[in-house]
């Protein structure tokens, strides 16, 4: 019988709250970025799913100096 795979699970996507937590921002701030088109979100039915690669791309595109988000 083969031994069980002891490798940790690889995370490739997050739900909304987990994505915000991974980014270090609030769920509300993440929602603002989604509305502004800064972050790509996919859906499973009505549930938003954020790919790790999309979150990384979002962070890479952020300014390197502090900046205020526009009010919606």
């Amino acid at each position: 019988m083969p031994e069980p795979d002891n490798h940790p699970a690889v995370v490739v996507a997050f739900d909304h709250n987990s994505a915000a937590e991974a980014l270090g921002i609030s769920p509300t701030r993440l929602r603002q970025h989604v509305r502004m088109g800064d972050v790509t979100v996919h859906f499973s039915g009505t549930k938003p799913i954020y790919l790790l690669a999309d979150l990384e791309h979002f962070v890479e595109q952020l300014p390197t100096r502090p900046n205020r988000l526009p009010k919606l």
Side-chain angles (χ1 to χ4, degrees), residues 8-37:
V10 176
V11 176
V12 296
F14 298 87
D15 65 17
H16 185 80
N17 290 336
S18 298
E21 185 177 340
L23 290 169
I25 62 176
S26 70
T28 301
R29 176 59 58 99
L30 176 56
R31 207 169 288 110
Q32 289 174 326
H33 281 292
V34 169
R35 285 187 197 132
M36 292 186 304

Side-chain angles (χ1 to χ4, degrees), residues 39-69:
V39 180
T40 301
V41 60
H42 302 268
F43 289 89
S44 175
T46 60
K47 182 176 179 157
I49 302 291
Y50 299 85
L51 292 175
L52 176 59
D54 291 333
L55 298 179
E56 290 173 333
H57 179 74
F58 164 68
V59 171
E60 290 168 356
Q61 301 305 311
L62 288 173
T64 56
R65 296 181 189 181
N67 193 5
R68 293 195 180 270
L69 288 175

